[in-house]
Amino acid sequence: MEIRVMARRGIGVRQIARELGCSRNTVKRYLRDMQASRYGPRQPRSTKLDRFKEYLRERIEAAKPHWIPAVVLLREIRDLGYAGGLTQIKMSSIR
């Protein structure tokens, strides 16, 4: 979108490419094709943790109002077959 705004202001293809850090061909393609900059929604990627998210939600709900450390949850789901690491648990949106 920024490419089109700059072009409407009269800035040349070379200068747009230089300022945005892309090739002149990229700038030309965006100016030529109105759908070039439109991305659709991406499909969520599956993770090693997906199989265990429901279990983790139930554990967290059962422990409320208390908090369960991620290390404890990791130990529990490792016993169930989880092969991932601690960071996945900490960064997940299960809470």
Side-chain angles (χ1 to χ4, degrees):
M1 198 55 103
E2 191 173 343
I3 292 173
R4 290 192 184 97
V5 171
M6 293 173 81
R8 270 189 246 125
R9 290 183 182 159
I11 301 172
V13 171
R14 283 183 185 204
Q15 188 175 353
I16 293 172
R18 200 175 311 121
E19 287 183 25
L20 297 179
C22 59
S23 72
R24 288 180 292 168
N25 288 337
T26 302
V27 174
K28 290 176 189 176
R29 182 171 48 94
Y30 276 86
L31 292 174
R32 200 174 37 243
D33 184 7
M34 294 304 286
Q35 295 297 321
S37 64
R38 309 240 193 298
Y39 291 105
R42 293 183 179 197
Q43 295 294 326
R45 296 178 79 179
S46 62
T47 66
K48 294 176 184 178
L49 191 60
D50 286 345
R51 280 184 32 215
F52 306 96
K53 282 188 177 180
E54 189 58 36
Y55 172 81
L56 293 172
R57 277 190 203 99
E58 289 173 7
R59 273 296 277 132
I60 291 169
E61 275 300 312
K64 280 187 178 175
H66 301 288
W67 175 74
I68 302 173
V71 177
V72 173
L73 295 172
L74 174 65
R75 199 174 316 131
E76 290 178 11
I77 62 174
R78 280 234 171 111
D79 292 339
L80 299 174
Y82 177 66
L86 182 63
T87 304
Q88 285 291 316
I89 296 171
K90 288 181 177 181
M91 301 302 288
S92 72
S93 57
I94 55 175
R95 295 174 188 216

